[in-house]
């Protein structure tokens, strides 16, 4: 950035230095207290000094709302960037990112996050802690699975996941009630029923824990070691509505197909507490042979109705 | 459309002139696809002339009506943010011309799925259209998906559909199942339409 920038233009609000071959943004950036939009796409940023030291404490850290760093060479999200507390819109599309730092949750005002066209392999569950996130773009990456916590992004309106390595989605994705757009094309989504045959039998601790929970055996913190009290609090409910049981670590991974009213069939994954629970969903055929199968198909199809207009095939 | 007796070689020097010549061409009984495509391609994109129609939406591509061709055609501008794309769709027996005004768009052509098909749709070809290029498609050629694959640049395209239509089918690439959808305009004649 040219020296003296902040002296000549102290009230600068929008700065576009895209396509200028910039390798680092100097300290001039720190003294622009009114800057709310910074566009620096298609440059050569990405090295260690790309963002100036002291960015988090500078006035610009509070004023900046929009930051576009797409088309640069970032291989990781620079930690300094996570100190831009007022940021609403961030684009790092077309860089060389290998992952997303869990501290992304620090950007709690973030509404728009574009990370398409990188080399991201996994999504940290902390991404779900962004309460205002409305638009999340993760297309053209190498993502293999979506953490179920992503369903906590209550404000999410648009989710772009096309061209990744997803084979299924977590069932919780149906909880994103405000979702208007969801793109999934170009993923190797499984099309046939998949049953996970590697079922590890539950440990004695797990069996005891299940019994305590399902029989509602009362206990207080003074009855048990703290570690077991904590363990009991981590019980997950088996989603099989006919079961009502719980599981801790030992569960069966089940992929169920949800048919969006004949339009799309999505493989959704959930955990069941035992192979016996999984058998009602054992076939992808249309005929319901058991009550529990049709019950859970019903609840799935209600959610499916909601999502059917959302999918972009 | 069939070949007329003589084909004009048009040069549209502005968007306004393009619209004017289109009205002239479509006033005839017979219109030539080649003539329209050449005309569209001859217009050199000038953002000053179409910026008023280019309204972007954060979440998806937008359709902005420019001219309704006295009922003979619809001329519209589509705005594609980074990563925005369409589903695979048909064109309801109409002719579709697509000219790039800014950026690039990738067009992927697909075969029509089999009647009782339940498998992955067959990709025929794909290409990236550059600025000022004009592509043409109709249902007998096949189906297509259009997308802005850039993660850094938005794209703007000019579309002509004749006869006009407001519904089409979208297709699931993995199964070939189709689903009728109604299309709406994000803006008409430069004014945002709230629906």
């Amino acid at each position: 950035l040219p020296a003296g920038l902040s002296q000549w233009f102290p009230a600068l609000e929008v700065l576009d230095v895209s396509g200028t071959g910039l390798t680092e943004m100097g300290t001039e950036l720190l003294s622009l207290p009114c800057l709310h939009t910074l566009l620096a796409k298609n440059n050569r940023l990405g090295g260690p000094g790309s963002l100036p030291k002291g960015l988090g404490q500078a006035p610009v850290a509070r004023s900046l709302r929009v930051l576009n760093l797409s088309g640069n060479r970032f291989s990781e999200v620079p930690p300094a960037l996570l100190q831009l507390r007022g940021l609403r819109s961030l684009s790092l599309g077309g860089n060389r990112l290998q992952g997303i730092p869990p501290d992304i949750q620090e950007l709690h005002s973030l509404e728009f996050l574009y990370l398409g066209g990188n080399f991201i392999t996994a999504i940290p569950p902390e991404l779900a802690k962004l309460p205002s996130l409305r638009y999340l773009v993760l297309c053209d990456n190498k993502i293999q699975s979506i953490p179920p916590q992503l369903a906590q992004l209550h404000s999410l309106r648009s989710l772009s996941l096309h061209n990744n390595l997803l084979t299924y989605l977590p069932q919780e994705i149906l909880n994103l009630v405000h979702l208007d757009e969801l793109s999934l094309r170009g993923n190797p989504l499984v099309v046939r029923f998949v049953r996970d045959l590697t079922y590890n039998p539950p440990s004695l601790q797990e069996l005891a824990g299940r019994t305590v929970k399902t029989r509602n055996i009362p206990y207080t913190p003074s009855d048990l070691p703290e570690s077991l009290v904590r363990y009991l609090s981590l019980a997950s409910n088996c989603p099989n509505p006919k079961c009502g049981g719980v599981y801790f670590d030992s569960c069966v991974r089940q992929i169920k197909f949800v048919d969006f009213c004949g339009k799309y069939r999505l493989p959704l994954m959930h955990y069941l507490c035992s192979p016996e629970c999984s058998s009602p969903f054992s076939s992808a055929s249309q005929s319901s042979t058991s009550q529990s199968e049709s019950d859970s198909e019903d609840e799935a199809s209600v959610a499916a109705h909601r999502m059917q207009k959302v999918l972009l095939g | 459309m069939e070949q007329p007796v003589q084909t004009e070689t048009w040069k549209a020097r502005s968007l306004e002139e393009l619209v004017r010549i289109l009205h002239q061409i479509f006033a005839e009984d017979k219109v030539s696809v080649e003539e329209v495509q050449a005309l569209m391609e001859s217009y050199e994109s000038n953002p000053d002339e179409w910026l008023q129609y280019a309204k972007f939406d954060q979440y998806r591509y937008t359709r902005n009506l420019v001219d309704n061709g006295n009922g003979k055609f619809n001329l519209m501008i589509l705005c594609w943010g980074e990563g925005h794309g369409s589903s695979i769709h048909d064109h309801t027996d109409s002719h579709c011309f697509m000219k790039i005004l800014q950026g690039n768009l990738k067009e992927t052509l697909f075969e029509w799925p089999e009647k009782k098909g339940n498998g992955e749709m067959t990709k025929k070809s794909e290409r990236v259209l550059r600025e000022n290029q004009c592509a043409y498609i109709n249902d007998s050629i096949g189906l297509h998906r259009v997308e802005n694959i850039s993660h850094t640049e938005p794209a703007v395209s000019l579309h002509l559909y004749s006869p006009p239509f407001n519904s089409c089918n979208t297709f699931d690439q993995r199964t070939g199942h189709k689903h009728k959808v109604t299309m709406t305009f994000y803006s008409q004649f430069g004014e945002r339409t709230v629906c």
Side-chain angles (χ1 to χ4, degrees):
Chain A
L1 297 176
L5 180 67
S6 52
Q7 280 177 293
W8 296 334
F9 305 107
L12 198 60
E13 294 181 15
V14 177
L15 179 61
D16 186 351
V17 288
S18 301
T20 55
L22 224 51
T23 52
E24 56 179 50
M25 290 215 273
T27 49
E28 287 300 324
L29 185 60
L30 303 177
S31 347
L32 292 167
C34 304
L35 194 71
H36 59 68
T37 298
L38 175 57
L39 310 173
K41 54 183 197 178
N42 298 322
N43 283 305
R44 284 186 255 159
L45 299 164
S50 298
L51 297 179
K53 277 192 170 57
L55 183 61
Q57 293 73 43
V60 71
R62 281 186 304 265
S63 61
L64 206 61
R65 297 280 173 268
V66 176
L67 177 58
N68 190 330
L69 293 168
S70 62
N72 280 288
R73 301 165 184 194
F74 287 98
S75 56
E76 58 166 29
V77 179
L81 198 149
L82 302 173
Q83 296 172 325
L84 299 168
R85 295 301 165 99
L87 211 58
R88 302 245 167 94
S89 169
L90 173 62
S91 175
L92 279 160
N95 276 277
R96 303 169 187 178
L97 299 178
Q98 313 235 341
I100 306 169
D103 284 342
I104 192 91
Q105 61 179 312
E106 304 284 307
L107 297 174
H108 44 72
S109 303
L110 211 57
E111 295 172 14
F112 177 108
L113 180 58
Y114 192 109
L115 296 172
N118 281 287
F119 302 106
I120 297 169
T121 53
I123 303 171
E126 289 81 359
L127 187 60
K129 298 248 178 76
L130 295 170
S132 311
L133 201 63
R134 300 214 305 263
Y135 185 56
L136 177 59
V137 179
L138 294 164
C139 63
D140 294 295
N141 276 292
K142 307 278 176 205
I143 299 168
Q144 296 182 22
S145 70
I146 306 294
Q149 291 88 340
L150 231 55
Q152 290 159 27
L153 288 168
H154 301 298
S155 305
L156 205 62
R157 281 193 46 193
S158 181
L159 177 57
S160 165
L161 291 168
H162 58 271
N163 300 330
N164 273 289
L165 300 171
L166 298 171
T167 48
Y168 56 80
L169 300 175
Q171 175 162 272
E172 289 83 352
I173 204 109
L174 296 176
N175 296 339
L176 288 168
V177 292
H178 296 297
L179 207 61
D180 284 336
E181 311 278 340
L182 171 63
S183 68
L184 289 167
R185 65 181 187 278
N187 279 287
L189 297 177
V190 295
V191 290
R192 284 188 322 280
F193 172 75
V194 172
R195 185 187 204 139
D196 190 338
L197 295 171
T198 62
Y199 170 58
N200 292 317
S203 62
L204 282 176
Q205 178 171 291
E206 165 114 21
L207 289 173
R210 289 190 185 197
T211 306
V212 168
K213 282 291 179 185
T214 52
R215 307 259 175 122
N216 281 315
I217 296 172
Y219 61 92
T220 65
S222 55
D223 295 327
L224 297 169
E226 197 210 309
S227 60
L228 286 182
V229 174
R230 207 165 352 110
Y231 178 80
L232 286 171
S233 71
L234 294 173
S236 301
N237 290 308
C238 180
N240 178 0
K242 291 297 177 190
C243 169
V246 300
Y247 63 91
F248 293 88
D249 307 304
S250 170
C251 53
V252 177
R253 203 183 65 174
Q254 170 77 41
I255 290 184
K256 184 173 68 176
F257 285 93
V258 177
D259 186 14
F260 292 83
C261 305
K263 187 183 166 196
Y264 307 112
R265 284 181 87 233
L266 274 201
L268 298 180
M269 210 251 320
H270 54 205
Y271 295 101
L272 296 160
C273 67
S274 75
E276 285 71 46
C277 277
S278 67
S279 53
F281 315 136
S282 64
S283 119
S285 70
Q286 295 302 314
S287 60
S288 305
T289 49
S290 76
Q291 189 60 27
S292 57
E293 179 181 341
S294 59
D295 276 358
S296 61
E297 288 286 318
D298 281 346
E299 75 185 34
S301 64
V302 164
H305 259 98
R306 206 167 56 213
M307 287 276 273
Q308 66 157 333
K309 64 180 171 66
V310 162
L311 285 166
L312 302 174
Chain B
M1 292 181 182
E2 299 158 30
Q3 288 283 61
V5 175
Q6 54 186 157
T7 314
E8 303 267 0
T9 312
W10 301 102
K11 171 70 183 168
R13 291 162 301 188
S14 71
L15 182 60
E16 217 170 55
E17 186 163 81
L18 173 64
V19 172
R20 200 173 44 73
I21 300 174
L22 282 169
H23 275 259
Q24 205 178 317
I25 293 179
F26 279 89
E28 303 293 321
D29 290 331
K30 291 187 178 144
V31 182
S32 143
V33 166
E34 287 76 17
E35 190 175 2
V36 175
Q37 191 164 6
L39 167 65
M40 297 271 286
E41 217 158 273
S42 79
Y43 165 60
E44 284 170 40
S45 171
N46 179 352
D48 288 338
E49 292 167 0
W50 49 257
L51 224 44
Q52 55 171 312
Y53 305 107
K55 300 182 190 307
F56 281 82
D57 182 86
Q58 212 179 54
Y59 303 112
R60 50 165 299 148
Y61 73 92
T62 61
R63 306 169 79 242
N64 305 275
L65 184 65
V66 174
D67 192 276
N68 57 18
N70 286 333
K72 298 276 184 71
F73 63 83
N74 267 351
L75 187 69
M76 62 189 78
I77 281 179
L78 270 62
C79 296
W80 314 75
E82 293 88 315
H84 288 176
S86 75
S87 34
I88 302 172
H89 58 273
D90 61 11
H91 297 88
T92 322
D93 291 324
S94 290
H95 303 266
C96 160
F97 299 84
M98 172 170 73
K99 179 198 173 70
I100 314 295
L101 295 177
Q102 179 185 299
N104 301 291
L105 287 176
K106 176 171 156 189
E107 180 194 31
T108 310
L109 288 182
F110 290 87
E111 302 276 8
W112 280 87
E114 302 288 307
K115 259 297 183 218
K116 282 293 172 187
N118 218 332
E120 182 99 22
M121 284 174 69
T122 313
K123 219 182 268 197
K124 267 174 36 160
S125 65
E126 64 182 42
R127 58 175 167 168
V128 175
L129 295 159
R130 310 281 168 198
E131 275 180 24
N132 285 314
Q133 266 189 286
C134 180
Y136 168 78
I137 193 170
N138 65 44
D139 282 353
S140 66
I141 292 174
L143 309 165
H144 71 180
R145 183 197 302 284
V146 180
E147 27 181 0
N148 178 11
I149 53 174
S150 172
H151 298 292
T152 58
E153 312 306 323
V156 181
S157 53
L158 181 69
H159 294 235
L160 186 147
Y161 298 102
S162 178
F165 60 94
N166 58 12
S167 74
C168 69
N169 291 301
T170 61
F171 296 77
D172 177 4
Q173 188 170 343
R174 294 184 308 130
T175 60
H177 289 159
K178 70 178 184 200
H179 180 78
K180 186 172 168 186
V181 293
T182 310
M183 296 110 75
T184 56
F185 289 114
Y186 193 76
S187 75
Q188 296 194 37
F189 316 113
E191 301 282 327
R192 175 88 173 89
T193 44
V194 189
C195 31

